[in-house]
Amino acid sequence: MVAQSNIVVDGAALWSDLMETAQFGATAKGGICRLALSGEDAKVRAWFKSTCEALGCVVSCDSMGNQFARRMGEEDGLAPIMIGSHLDTQPTGGKFDGILGVMGGIAVLRALRDAGLSTRHPIEIINWTNEEGARFTPPMLASGVFGGVFTQEFAQSRADRAGVRLGEALEEIGYVGAEVCGEHPAAAYFELHIEQGPVLEAEQRTIGVVQGVQGMRWYNVTVKGQDAHAGTTPMTMRSDALWGAARMIDAVHQVAMDHAPDGLGTVGIIDCLPGSSNVVPGEVQFTVDLRHPSDSVLEKMEEKFRQCMNYLATQCGVEMDITPTWVSAAVHFDPLCVECVRESAQALGYSLRDIVSGAGHDAVYVAQVAPTAMIFVPCWKGISHNEAESAEPEHVTAGANVLLHAILAADARLDA
């Protein structure tokens, strides 16, 4: 495939879109707090709708609130080639995570319009509901329903900390569409994203050709001992839940190190009860996140993790329970779509490397039902899910250009 290098996105307009939408939920520290289905999310959704309609698109939403902006194709009966990501953020999120993929789609449609170029397939930009999982867990709920991983009933029943269910929040902002989520056709799906890691920046590469997404498993671990007086209970007679949990947390780190460099283990939340400085803790709960690109290796990591937890519970004289809370199998993206990305980056002269995504994305679930690929661009120091998240204008423009030409390549190569 030879890229039509005379057709490029308007990088200045793309950057302007990113900065304009960053005002919806802007924080004092320069980040964004735009939780799914909040008032600020409703505002950016309205911006997305009006912007896409101005580009000649028809905008609709499905029963999970996923927004679809459709540009007609010459053979409009064909399933659309989709470009997508999400507009919701973490409570202290940045200006690029998720939204770059949506704004990149707008940049593609703007470039096609300005060039007077038609595509054989319809092109659709998608804003997926609740990718982050910051308000309603688990993450990627709406793309999960689209991909057949979750039922709509399950997804809409998820409640935030205030007890508001996702389905209620959808109705509150008026985004319950008539189309049943999952019944929308898709010829292929492409997602542009910042890397959310340091590899591309460290290697001074502009484009990451994403091969797939590593497997992820989440757990809640509960450790129970006995509350006791800190001044009167001898060390040899204690059942200290926090001491046991501390050793278990260290073991999580060691399990990941034993499977380095690809194995990852994280304890992100620790709750200690009763939470008094002079009481031996009687109960501790903590989360565990294990990841690896290979499901078979991840299975071995889980086995070792469970063995370590059971052994340490016995050694420390405490009770322990592990509850799995989320499993996402490793995903390998479609070879044709991946090749469209690689060849486009090469033809446009960008430096590139193959890469595996360490983070979950809507593409994980869409890949269950449609040929899928992702494009990564560098972000500053690999920082993401953080108000300091940053990317260079030339990099986001390069990613959108690769997205544009990958779409054109897929349009020519896909049979339907």
Side-chain angles (χ1 to χ4, degrees), residues 314-332:
T314 300
Q315 290 293 304
C316 297
V318 295
E319 297 178 0
M320 184 279 306
D321 179 70
I322 300 171
T323 303
T325 57
W326 186 50
V327 175
S328 181
V331 173
H332 303 282

Side-chain angles (χ1 to χ4, degrees), residues 24 48 55 68 85 159 212 260 262 297 393:
F24 299 111
F48 171 76
L55 288 169
F68 301 86
S85 199
D262 294 328
V297 176

Side-chain angles (χ1 to χ4, degrees), residues 52 55-59 69-81 109 112-113 117-125 411:
C52 292
L55 288 169
C57 294
V58 175
V59 182
R70 181 186 182 94
R71 181 184 195 258
M72 291 180 61
E74 292 178 346
E75 300 177 37
D76 206 51
L78 294 177
I81 296 175
L109 296 196
L112 294 175
R113 180 201 63 184
L117 185 64
S118 298
T119 55
R120 191 164 59 94
H121 292 76
I123 307 296
E124 291 189 348
I125 311 174
D411 184 51

Side-chain angles (χ1 to χ4, degrees), residues 1-16:
M1 188 275 296
V2 178
Q4 301 176 58
S5 56
N6 59 313
I7 304 173
V8 294
V9 303
D10 183 338
L14 169 57
W15 191 259
S16 177

Side-chain angles (χ1 to χ4, degrees), residues 47 81 123 129 142 151 181 217 228 233 262-263 283 293 295 389 395 412:
W47 182 96
I81 296 175
I123 307 296
T129 299
T151 66
C181 183
R217 300 188 185 190
T233 309
D262 294 328
E283 181 174 328
D295 282 329
E389 179 184 278
H395 290 152

Side-chain angles (χ1 to χ4, degrees), residues 11-26 30-32 34 44 47 94-97 99-100 103 389-393 396:
L14 169 57
W15 191 259
S16 177
D17 287 345
L18 287 164
M19 295 306 105
E20 182 178 353
T21 51
Q23 300 311 304
F24 299 111
I32 303 174
R34 192 166 57 230
V44 77
W47 182 96
K95 298 182 179 73
F96 302 92
D97 175 10
I99 195 167
L100 174 58
M103 298 301 104
E389 179 184 278
S390 184
E392 295 297 325
V396 301

